[in-house]
Amino acid sequence: MTWEADDVVSVELVHPDGKPLPPWTPGGHIDVHLGGLVRQYSLCGDPADTGRYRIGVLKEPASRGGSAQVHGTLRPGQTVTVKGPRNHFALETAERYLFVAGGIGITPVLAQAREASALGRPWKLWHGGRRRASMAFGGELTSLAARSGNTVVFHPQDEHGHLDLAAILDEAASDEQALVYGCGPEPLLAALETVCDERGLRGRLRLERFAAVRAPAPEGGEQGFEVECARSGATVTVAPDQSVADALENAGVAVETSCREGICGTCETRVLDGTPDHRDMLLSTDEQTAGATMMICVSRCASARLVLDL
């Protein structure tokens, strides 16, 4: 465990028997089981190093318990259960990249910038934070930018105010070959979406959220519907105040979930028939329109019946 900034510690995880760990790609995350809790953390190490995973964890007073477990009780030599990795924030092929990270949102972006450098793709990274001392991996980012001939701009709020997203994205708007990647607190991501909408960049924006944004209930309120499980043969009625996952579990159908907020991807399930009403924060607009999969912890049904590959 290494202090990377004020209230930010990095943790390296290795197999207890020294075996190689499952491969991962930049933008990926793992589920870490911590004292009865399961939390998702982005991987920020080197994918070429198959012997260890590295995560960065912010000590967050308002957290749901995960960061308190890491900072307060997790110590070198302890064993934890890890699942994954999974990746819903993969670095897509582009000629250039603009990265915008806020606070601990730098963790997946660090790995993405490293991959872009290895691919020989130019990039620019804006890293915002409350204070310079609270911004993790500064030395690593500076060294990476210098070696690869790219640019990283550190923008602590107490020195420079909020990131000027309009000016930052004006640069991307003039470059049709660039993709924009953002990760950080919800106000930053919502502002990125707004400015990208104004500049016609929404199709080139890729985001990862650490917390869910609740979709408003439809006019007339939520409606119940039926879910048929094609493999198990079970048919379950989902009540207006139930999630699909809860209804299935109550009926004895085994499902795998973690965050229960539509942000981790653990419960992604193939849709065989019917029209999902997507409420997750992971699937792209095109993926939601296709309706091939859904996150059963939050998404519902826009038709009377769903058939799932369960």
Side-chain angles (χ1 to χ4, degrees):
M1 300 176 72
T2 304
W3 287 102
E4 303 292 351
D6 289 352
D7 293 330
V8 178
V9 66
S10 65
V11 180
E12 289 193 346
L13 303 168
V14 299
H15 195 285
D17 298 326
K19 297 178 181 178
L21 297 173
W24 63 280
T25 54
H29 69 267
I30 54 174
D31 297 342
V32 182
H33 294 242
L34 299 161
L37 303 171
V38 182
R39 295 294 180 261
Q40 290 74 43
Y41 295 104
S42 296
L43 292 164
C44 59
D46 182 357
D49 184 354
T50 60
R52 71 194 66 244
Y53 291 152
R54 184 177 70 162
I55 59 175
V57 182
L58 170 67
K59 185 178 182 181
E60 177 55 69
S63 83
R64 298 170 298 159
S67 74
Q69 289 283 338
V70 172
H71 282 262
T73 64
L74 188 64
R75 294 296 179 266
Q78 288 183 240
T79 300
V80 295
T81 298
V82 170
K83 296 189 73 173
R86 291 188 301 276
N87 196 343
H88 288 274
F89 192 49
L91 193 71
E92 299 174 26
T93 301
E95 291 300 314
R96 284 167 291 280
Y97 299 95
L98 172 64
F99 299 112
V100 181
I104 198 62
I106 193 62
T107 49
V109 172
L110 169 58
Q112 290 176 334
R114 187 183 293 113
E115 181 180 28
S117 298
L119 294 171
R121 298 289 193 267
W123 54 266
K124 186 172 185 177
L125 166 60
W126 289 82
H127 184 193
R130 293 187 300 273
R131 297 172 292 107
R132 194 174 294 272
S134 71
M135 298 166 66
F137 304 110
E140 200 168 324
L141 287 163
T142 299
S143 176
L144 174 63
R147 291 196 313 270
S148 61
N150 291 293
T151 302
V152 57
V153 181
F154 299 101
H155 194 95
Q157 185 178 337
D158 63 346
E159 298 176 23
H160 306 295
H162 291 290
L163 287 166
D164 186 351
L165 296 180
I168 291 170
L169 290 168
D170 278 341
E171 183 178 341
S174 64
D175 185 354
E176 295 183 357
Q177 304 302 313
L179 288 180
V180 181
Y181 279 77
C183 186
E186 181 54 33
L188 171 65
L189 302 189
L192 274 170
E193 288 178 321
T194 297
V195 178
C196 282
D197 282 343
E198 294 169 351
R199 283 152 178 76
L201 291 171
R202 191 61 174 270
R204 291 195 270 139
L205 177 65
R206 309 290 184 266
L207 298 178
E208 181 166 71
R209 284 181 155 91
F210 291 148
V213 178
R214 292 298 178 198
E219 289 187 26
E222 302 287 6
Q223 303 297 316
F225 54 93
E226 283 193 340
V227 171
E228 178 186 338
C229 302
R231 282 188 280 126
S232 68
T235 297
V236 175
T237 298
V238 182
D241 61 348
Q242 270 186 317
S243 70
V244 175
D246 286 342
L248 291 172
E249 288 175 337
N250 290 344
V253 179
V255 296
E256 187 175 4
T257 66
S258 179
C259 72
R260 298 274 177 163
E261 294 184 325
I263 59 174
C264 76
T266 301
C267 69
E268 185 170 8
T269 302
R270 195 156 67 100
V271 177
L272 303 179
D273 194 24
T275 306
D277 176 7
H278 296 285
R279 311 280 182 92
D280 66 276
M281 297 287 107
L282 287 173
L283 297 176
S284 68
T285 301
D286 288 344
E287 288 171 330
Q288 290 187 347
T289 300
T293 67
M294 65 183 289
M295 307 301 165
I296 61 173
C297 69
V298 292
S299 296
R300 298 185 64 78
C301 181
S303 54
R305 184 180 180 89
L306 280 173
V307 181
L308 302 179
D309 186 21
L310 289 171

